DNA sequence: CAAGCGTTTTAGACGCGGCTAAAACTCTTT
DNA sequence: AAAGAGTTTTAGCCGCGTCTAAAACGCTTG
């Protein structure tokens, strides 16, 4: 049936597109993410473009077509639902579910995915806080702020942790900052860009690599 | 990592070997089962033999090496555990789980399989009654008899239904002869080899295609 | 504005897993 | 023992997905 690697490429292009929706996704960034050479990515781009799944301009990066985005959303949906499933039903540590889901996401029949979704009672997000597209590719776009950009003083809820930052997940867990936790930004160092937060009665200093991998959402009080 | 198709071949060779353990498995039988041409099977045999997973004699069929059998047993284990999981946890009809498991069996990390096993409380068989190898490749070999070969009069329990016979599973379900059901062989026609059974208060006449796809086990009374 | 550097693409190769058509083999059957 | 039928293997092809090395491009910088 459908190519295996193609889907991975499409999903990665989608995720990279999300990060900077303005401009097209570069060959290099996809190659890096996939762990292949730029030449391999170029070759795949040609196949995907031939099949109208991406728009590819020489030396100009790629963009998903609507068709390609549909496919990508399907993969993302499977990926995030499986993560939820692995974490909630099989009790696999949340630091590992991303890698496992990568392995599993292509082999799951739609019916299996749908049943998992029902069993989990239609979860909104994966264990790291990323939204799960529904069966038709729609997905909630909540209003989130990077911890890096948060104003001082506000108390917020951790909403999303970038699972792709190496080593971040165990660190976040150690600090008790998993999605759902509350924190307050108490300080920001304008020189090194460290931030100080208070969470669970403790103070922590977080570097930029952390503060730009954590998304938070305002709690009810908006000011 | 490991090739995808290789594992399918190994598992199919294993299953065919089980059916007639005496002689080696023929090229054609594997090709048929896999739905590929004999030429493709030959090509794969060469790769598998090169990697010491099978013994291959030209024009003489193949046999699994111990190494190859280990791999095959791993695939079979995953396959049957996933079937159980799909049926028991996701409540997918047992007629479909074989096909779905085929799709999924290669993509499952060991830890996921092990956790499924634990969640299911270490089932002995797949939903069709085939035994599930344990983590080390050991598997129970209960004493079963083909319904075709059963002596008249004995009351037995359905133990295993060959899931690979087209259309059999829905038929078996309709007749209420799923694994665990009791039946008694009441007659056998020596000409056309039909058998007559009594099960759940009903009489049924079964053709050879059915009676050699159903395995039964004696109930406590041995005579 | 030309040089140079980093990125991207081309060119050419390889292994996998499939195909068809033709050749080789085996086994049965006269 | 030779012929014929059926199975298996070889030969040659293709597309995928990867690689390396070399060429082409584009952007920044002197």
């Amino acid at each position: 049936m459908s190519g295996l690697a193609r889907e991975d490429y499409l999903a990665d292009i989608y995720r990279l597109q999300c990060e900077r929706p303005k401009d097209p996704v570069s060959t290099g960034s996809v190659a890096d993410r996939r762990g292949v050479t730029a030449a391999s990515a170029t070759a795949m781009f040609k196949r995907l473009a031939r099949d109208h799944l991406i728009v590819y301009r020489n030396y100009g990066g790629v963009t998903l077509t609507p068709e390609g985005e549909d496919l990508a959303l399907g993969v993302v949906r499977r990926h995030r639902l499986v993560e939820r499933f692995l974490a909630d039903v099989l009790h696999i540590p949340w630091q590992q579910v991303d890698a496992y889901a990568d392995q599993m996401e292509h082999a799951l029949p739609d019916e299996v995915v749908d049943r998992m979704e029902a069993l989990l009672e239609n979860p909104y997000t994966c264990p790291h806080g990323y939204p799960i597209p529904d069966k038709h590719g729609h997905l909630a776009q909540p209003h989130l702020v990077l911890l890096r950009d948060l104003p001082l003083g506000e108390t917020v809820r951790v909403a999303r942790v970038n699972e792709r930052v190496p080593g971040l997940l165990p660190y976040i867990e150690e600090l008790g900052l998993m999605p759902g936790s509350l924190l307050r930004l108490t300080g920001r160092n304008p020189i090194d860009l460290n931030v100080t937060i208070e969470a669970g009665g403790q103070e922590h200093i977080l570097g930029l690599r952390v503060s730009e991998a954590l998304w938070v959402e305002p709690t009810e009080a908006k000011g």
Side-chain angles (χ1 to χ4, degrees), chain A residues 37-196:
Chain A
T37 62
S40 302
T42 299
M44 180 59 85
F45 287 173
K46 295 193 166 177
R47 286 187 291 266
L48 293 174
R50 179 201 55 193
D51 300 340
H52 311 106
L53 299 171
I54 60 174
V55 175
Y56 170 48
R57 291 207 343 93
N58 251 19
Y59 296 98
V62 297
T63 317
L64 291 171
T65 63
E67 204 178 335
E69 187 170 319
D70 275 359
L71 270 181
L73 279 166
V75 179
V76 169
R77 168 178 160 76
R78 292 203 291 276
H79 182 91
R80 292 182 183 161
L81 268 174
V82 170
E83 286 187 327
R84 256 277 158 243
F85 170 81
L86 293 176
D88 292 3
V89 178
L90 297 186
H91 306 298
I92 291 175
W94 78 317
Q95 301 101 38
Q96 297 172 240
V97 298
D98 181 52
Y100 289 161
D102 263 342
Q103 239 180 98
M104 297 172 60
E105 68 195 3
H106 303 294
L108 296 172
D110 280 346
E111 183 176 349
V112 171
V113 173
D114 294 346
R115 300 244 182 186
M116 280 183 179
E117 186 176 34
L119 179 71
L120 294 163
E121 295 174 320
N122 308 295
Y124 276 87
T125 69
C126 80
H128 317 98
Y130 286 83
I132 297 176
D134 73 15
K135 221 172 299 193
H136 311 292
H138 303 298
L139 91 179
Q141 223 23 298
H143 177 63
L144 302 182
V145 182
L146 267 185
L147 178 57
R148 182 193 63 190
D149 304 327
L150 186 69
L152 280 187
E154 212 173 328
T155 291
V156 292
R157 176 172 287 113
V158 176
R160 189 180 290 173
V161 182
N162 189 336
E163 74 236 308
R164 240 81 176 194
V165 175
L168 181 60
L169 260 35
Y171 182 59
I172 288 298
E173 183 158 36
E174 198 185 308
L175 264 45
L177 294 178
M178 285 133 81
S181 322
L182 295 179
L183 66 78
R184 195 165 53 88
L185 190 60
T186 55
R188 171 177 281 121
N189 180 327
I191 305 305
D192 59 17
L193 298 176
N194 282 350
V195 297
T196 314

